Amino acid sequence: MPRPRFDKLPATQQAAILNVALAEFAAHGYRDASLNRIIETAAISKGSMYYYFDGKEDLYAHVILVQLQGLLQEGGLSRIPDAHDPDSFWAALEDHYLRLMQELTASPRVAALLRDWLTGGAPSLYDARHDAELQVMPWLARTVAAGQDVGAVRTDIPTDLILALAMGMGQAMDTWLITRTPEAIDVPNAVHILIDTMRRALGPVESSPARPERMPRAPDAARE
């Protein structure tokens, strides 16, 4: 996380440094990104950079957190699905998730950054992952409660287990989608089937829908 000196910088200067870092990490990934190139392009001294961040990994983690916050805000994460029955709840959740993926598709640098992060580009970023979960958890808890109110989410197991399952499945869905290019997969159909899979795991047994069509595989995956 940034040091207090960074937080005291004007917002425009913070944004300028983070935009340069985003471009570097998106283009080269964490391992091949150069902190010296970031410093040179941002037109700051090496000493100043180390006043702001502990090093490259610290800067990388903060860039990820800032971009996740922006992505979730643009995708409307603060809104709870407005529904009156299980079908409308899961349809609203699917629409929400599709909007998030569309926002990501429209931001190739952010997509490249998250792809590098989710595929292990940085050796140890436990704190960044934990911070990302903290951003999502309040919304997820409210969404699960709303789903239970309309009979869309099961109530026969502890809520903390439901939240853990939802978080784990969400992370798996994110990784699977983000690590594929839009040209390689039908994103709306993939989102539909992934949300349906979550519904089957988290919805009451008696409300499970009919089995969906098989998800189409990308050409390269089909040959494996």
Side-chain angles (χ1 to χ4, degrees):
M1 292 297 99
R3 294 183 174 185
R5 286 176 182 261
F6 184 77
D7 293 330
K8 293 178 181 178
L9 289 175
T12 54
Q13 192 172 350
Q14 291 184 33
I17 294 171
L18 295 180
N19 284 337
V20 170
L22 170 61
E24 177 71 15
F25 290 129
H28 302 286
Y30 173 80
R31 295 182 185 278
D32 295 327
S34 167
L35 189 60
N36 287 333
R37 278 198 300 264
I38 295 172
I39 290 169
E40 181 179 355
T41 306
I44 60 175
S45 68
K46 182 173 291 189
S48 294
M49 178 61 79
Y50 283 102
Y51 273 130
Y52 303 148
F53 296 94
D54 289 338
K56 186 170 79 168
E57 185 171 316
D58 193 32
L59 175 60
Y60 182 81
H62 187 61
V63 172
I64 288 170
L65 184 59
V66 168
Q67 294 304 320
L68 281 175
Q69 288 172 337
L71 180 65
L72 298 177
Q73 183 177 2
E74 291 295 327
L77 192 68
S78 61
R79 296 193 297 271
I80 305 302
D82 183 15
H84 51 80
D85 59 31
D87 288 340
S88 60
F89 173 84
W90 290 105
L93 199 60
E94 179 179 329
D95 180 68
H96 165 77
Y97 193 56
L98 181 57
R99 286 200 309 274
L100 279 178
M101 290 301 106
Q102 290 169 338
E103 288 289 339
L104 198 57
T105 300
S107 307
R109 291 197 308 180
V110 178
L113 174 73
L114 296 183
R115 189 176 300 118
D116 179 69
W117 178 45
L118 291 171
T119 54
S124 60
L125 281 174
Y126 173 81
D127 288 343
R129 292 183 182 274
H130 180 65
D131 289 342
E133 290 178 3
L134 291 179
Q135 296 292 318
V136 174
M137 188 57 73
W139 172 85
L140 184 59
R142 295 195 303 271
T143 297
V144 165
Q148 290 175 328
D149 287 343
V150 298
V153 177
R154 61 196 304 169
T155 58
D156 60 322
I157 58 177
T159 300
D160 58 347
L161 177 56
I162 293 176
L163 292 173
L165 290 170
M167 181 67 75
M169 294 183 71
Q171 290 174 344
M173 288 162 56
D174 292 344
T175 302
W176 192 89
L177 281 170
I178 289 172
T179 53
R180 282 153 178 79
T181 62
E183 298 80 15
I185 190 169
D186 179 349
V187 173
N189 186 54
V191 167
H192 172 71
I193 295 177
L194 290 170
I195 292 294
D196 179 84
T197 301
M198 183 174 283
R199 177 177 183 171
R200 291 171 184 279
L202 302 183
V205 175
E206 64 273 12
S207 67
S208 296
R211 183 177 298 275
E213 296 179 3
R214 182 178 181 182
M215 181 180 293
R217 302 172 73 183
D220 58 338
R223 291 195 295 269
E224 293 179 358

